[in-house]
């Protein structure tokens, strides 16, 4: 896939990001910062910063600096929800756009008196400590395969063993997830595993019933062999072993 293709995909989904921001952050941004301008700026910054890896995945910037007028800066930084809302919107958007964050995205606000009121400027980067060599989209130089834990797996519902061989693994009821279950307690896009520095990190994707690790509700957590995961009551067990167990497969409780 070339640079133009990923650009077209992001352009097509820009309205979706705008909708996510408007839906979750209207009370914060109404009459202060144009939602359309913010989503447009975020998409533009993401496009410029996207890199490709050796497996053909697209890696999105994980750090975003939003420069705003001092008036908006004071309002946003005084509200603890503003950053969390934008991060949640970016994570949902990345799942739909099929791009990867190497770590949970971070958003920082910066006060700039040269930015007009109700406008913003967004700069984005992939934090260099997460990468080896990088290039623009269309080249394959990011070494992500080495980040995947050796012989990791999930046991679903106490019976089905699923090997984990990908840097990102989406779990939910929607058919295009990597691991699919039709358990009604699980959201359509419920959780995501990301391989970071040979550890899998699990992220809750704003699910309805929540994601739990060892009985504690989490937004994200580094997994250790033996950890018990619950997706709104649907059980999974995370493990690693010396003997590989085959290639990653999709799972449905009723598959043959």
């Amino acid at each position: 896939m070339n640079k133009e293709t990923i650009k077209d995909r992001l352009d097509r989904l820009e309205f979706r990001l705008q909708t996510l921001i408007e839906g979750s952050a209207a009370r914060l941004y109404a009459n202060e910062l144009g939602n359309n301008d913010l989503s447009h700026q975020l998409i533009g910054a993401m496009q410029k910063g996207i890199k490709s890896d050796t497996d053909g995945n697209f890696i999105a910037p994980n750090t975003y600096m939003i420069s705003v007028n001092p008036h908006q800066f004071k309002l946003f930084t005084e509200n603890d929800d503003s950053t969390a809302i934008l991060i949640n919107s970016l994570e949902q958007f990345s799942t739909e756009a099929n791009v990867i964050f190497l770590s949970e995205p971070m958003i920082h606000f910066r006060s700039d008196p040269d930015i007009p009121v109700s406008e913003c400027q967004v700069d984005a980067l992939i934090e260099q400590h997460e990468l080896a060599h990088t290039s623009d989209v269309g080249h394959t130089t990011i070494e992500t395969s080495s980040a995947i834990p050796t012989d990791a797996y999930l046991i679903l519902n106490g019976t089905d063993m699923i090997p984990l061989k990908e840097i990102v693994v989406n779990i939910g009821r929607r058919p295009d997830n990597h691991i699919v279950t039709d358990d009604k307690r699980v959201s359509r896009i419920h959780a995501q595993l990301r391989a970071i520095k040979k550890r899998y990190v699990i992220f809750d994707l704003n699910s309805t019933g929540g994601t739990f690790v060892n009985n504690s509700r989490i937004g994200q957590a580094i997994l250790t062999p033996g950890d018990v995961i619950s997706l709104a009551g649907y059980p999974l067990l995370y493990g690693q072993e010396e003997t590989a167990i085959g290639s990653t497969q999709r799972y449905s409780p009723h598959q043959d």
Side-chain angles (χ1 to χ4, degrees):
M1 183 176 293
N2 58 34
K3 189 171 184 177
E4 185 62 25
T5 302
I6 189 65
K7 180 181 185 300
D8 288 345
R9 181 194 302 170
L10 293 173
D11 286 344
R12 189 168 59 252
L13 288 169
E14 181 176 344
F15 179 74
R16 174 57 177 155
L17 180 58
Q18 180 185 345
T19 302
L20 287 169
I21 293 172
E22 287 179 343
S24 60
R27 70 183 186 278
L28 296 178
Y29 299 100
N31 301 320
E32 294 298 339
L33 188 62
N35 289 318
N36 183 59
D37 182 61
L38 179 56
S39 61
H40 178 75
Q41 294 277 356
L42 282 169
I43 285 287
M46 183 183 289
Q47 284 179 346
K48 291 178 181 178
I50 284 180
K51 314 294 180 183
S52 61
D53 69 7
T54 54
D55 298 319
N57 299 308
F58 291 101
I59 313 298
N62 53 4
T63 299
Y64 294 81
M65 177 68 72
I66 302 177
S67 300
V68 294
N69 184 274
H71 172 67
Q72 276 78 29
F73 176 80
K74 184 174 185 293
L75 292 173
F76 296 153
T77 54
E78 286 179 348
N79 193 310
D80 293 336
D81 291 337
S82 57
T83 300
I85 286 171
L86 286 175
I87 288 174
N88 181 262
S89 297
L90 282 174
E91 289 184 327
Q92 290 186 61
F93 177 81
S94 71
T95 299
E96 296 180 24
N98 196 28
V99 297
I100 297 167
F101 295 120
L102 292 183
S103 61
E104 182 179 15
M106 298 181 64
I107 289 178
H108 307 282
F109 287 97
R110 184 174 73 89
S111 177
D112 186 343
D114 293 329
I115 301 291
V117 174
S118 300
E119 294 184 17
C120 67
Q121 176 181 313
V122 180
D123 298 292
L125 59 91
I126 300 174
E127 293 204 272
Q128 295 301 311
H129 66 269
E130 296 290 355
L131 304 177
H133 303 290
T134 61
S135 70
D136 290 335
V137 173
H139 298 80
T140 55
T141 56
I142 297 177
E143 193 61 50
T144 56
S145 58
S146 62
I148 299 174
T150 303
D151 299 331
Y153 61 88
L154 286 176
I155 297 178
L156 280 62
N157 207 24
T159 57
D160 295 273
M161 182 180 285
I162 307 297
L164 302 173
K165 298 291 186 181
E166 300 177 3
I167 196 165
V168 172
V169 180
N170 293 322
I171 308 172
R173 287 191 293 111
R174 205 167 75 176
D176 59 351
N177 286 293
H178 298 90
I179 298 177
V180 180
T181 174
D182 61 3
D183 191 296
K184 299 302 182 183
R185 294 171 293 181
V186 178
S187 296
R188 287 171 55 78
I189 306 174
H190 195 110
Q192 183 181 85
L193 300 180
R194 299 181 201 163
I196 303 172
K197 296 182 178 180
K198 287 192 173 296
R199 303 286 296 276
Y200 270 114
V201 182
I202 187 168
F203 295 84
D204 181 80
L205 299 180
N206 198 33
S207 65
T208 301
T211 299
F212 300 78
V213 176
N214 300 327
N215 296 317
S216 296
R217 186 163 187 165
I218 58 93
Q220 68 178 76
I222 299 173
L223 294 176
T224 301
D227 280 347
V228 177
I229 303 165
S230 172
L231 307 182
Y234 181 77
L236 302 89
L237 177 68
Y238 176 76
Q240 291 177 247
E241 61 179 27
E242 294 298 322
T243 304
I245 54 179
S247 59
T248 302
Q249 59 186 324
R250 293 178 184 270
Y251 167 76
S252 172
H254 302 302
Q255 69 184 23
D256 294 331

